Amino acid sequence: MPVTRSTGLLALGGIAVAALLTVIGHLEVNDDLNPWALTISDFAVSDRGGVIDVAMVVLALATAALMYGLRRAGPPRSGRVVELLLGAWVAGLLLAAVVPTNEPGAAMTASAYVHRYASVVAFLALPIGGWLLARRPDLTPTARTLRALVVLSLALSAAMVWSAYPGDRLLIGLAERLLILTEVAVLATVATTQVRRSPVDHGVVVFHKRGVTPQNGHHKSMIDEDGARGLTPARGASAGGRTR
């Protein structure tokens, strides 16, 4: 399916661009910000409307392209549920990009709560959707990888929740970055499978001789050779082709 292959390539390109923008966003912020102790949202709010916000939008669009490819490939029984979960991931990313969190150390505002819970919904929706995607026949070769990434992302989610509450935000930035890396790996795995497994028509044309039918996938040659089994001299004809 050429469309599926194209959407897979678009998704991989979007993921790569989003990753590059996120790295740039970390390099351009104030040196006083600690990536191990602060979340990506904390970095993004210090550069409001900067490249990290753009990266979230790009990642959301890459996921939308992936969803289109999955639909064209033929949704399984859980196709509608997977679409809703991936849609929640996309909506959560877009909402988190538009609605900022509070400045580090400042009191939580209404917009900060919206940002937080949009992120929570996104972080939970994607691994559940990834687990269901592993049941698709077209993703069977990577089902084990998808399930391993999902289990790892859920473990990192638990670590992040522990850090945010009883852990006094200990290494919350590290936990979040590992979580995002794992969940994006789920998307990249699906996109890579789409690119690799999309059949390509090479335009091979096979000519059939009249009266010849393929057997077991092979074509039997029926071309006769002069002077061999296929040529029978006409009655009354000599070897030189003259009649007596």
Side-chain angles (χ1 to χ4, degrees):
M1 299 178 186
V3 172
T4 304
R5 182 180 178 87
S6 298
T7 55
L9 289 172
L10 282 173
L12 287 176
I15 290 170
V17 171
L20 178 61
L21 291 175
T22 303
V23 172
I24 294 173
H26 279 70
L27 297 177
E28 288 185 346
V29 297
N30 193 321
D31 293 337
D32 294 335
L33 297 181
N34 184 353
W36 311 129
L38 298 175
T39 65
I40 294 179
S41 297
D42 293 330
F43 276 66
V45 75
S46 66
D47 183 27
R48 187 70 195 129
V51 291
I52 293 181
D53 291 327
V54 175
M56 288 190 283
V57 175
V58 171
L59 186 57
L61 295 176
T63 307
L66 192 65
M67 292 171 61
Y68 180 71
L70 289 169
R71 174 177 289 187
R72 290 299 300 267
R77 289 174 298 177
S78 58
R80 184 58 60 86
V81 178
V82 171
E83 285 187 351
L84 290 174
L85 290 168
L86 292 181
W89 159 263
V90 170
L93 284 177
L94 294 176
L95 193 57
V98 173
V99 182
T101 187
N102 57 289
E103 293 282 349
M108 291 288 291
T109 61
S111 63
Y113 279 111
V114 171
H115 180 96
R116 170 181 290 182
Y117 291 114
S119 301
V120 169
V121 170
F123 287 151
L124 291 178
L126 182 59
I128 298 173
W131 186 270
L132 294 178
L133 282 174
R135 299 166 55 186
R136 289 178 62 107
D138 54 329
L139 296 177
T140 298
T142 55
R144 183 173 298 179
T145 301
L146 287 173
R147 291 191 178 101
L149 289 171
V150 166
V151 171
L152 180 57
S153 67
L154 292 176
L156 290 168
S157 297
M160 190 172 174
V161 170
W162 176 86
S163 177
Y165 295 101
D168 196 25
R169 296 180 66 86
L170 177 65
L171 296 179
I172 191 171
L174 176 61
E176 185 201 45
R177 283 162 178 80
L178 291 176
L179 173 60
I180 293 175
L181 183 63
T182 304
E183 297 202 349
V184 171
V186 172
L187 298 175
T189 300
V190 176
T192 302
T193 306
Q194 282 189 349
V195 172
R196 288 180 177 177
R197 292 186 60 82
S198 295
V200 180
D201 183 9
H202 296 286
V204 178
V205 179
V206 178
F207 295 95
H208 298 280
K209 188 176 178 65
R210 187 175 182 179
V212 179
T213 56
Q215 297 180 0
N216 298 326
H218 300 283
H219 300 282
K220 190 178 288 186
S221 176
M222 299 295 290
I223 301 176
D224 297 335
E225 299 179 1
D226 292 345
R229 57 177 186 215
L231 182 60
T232 304
R235 177 178 294 182
S238 65
R242 294 175 299 173
T243 60
R244 295 185 183 274

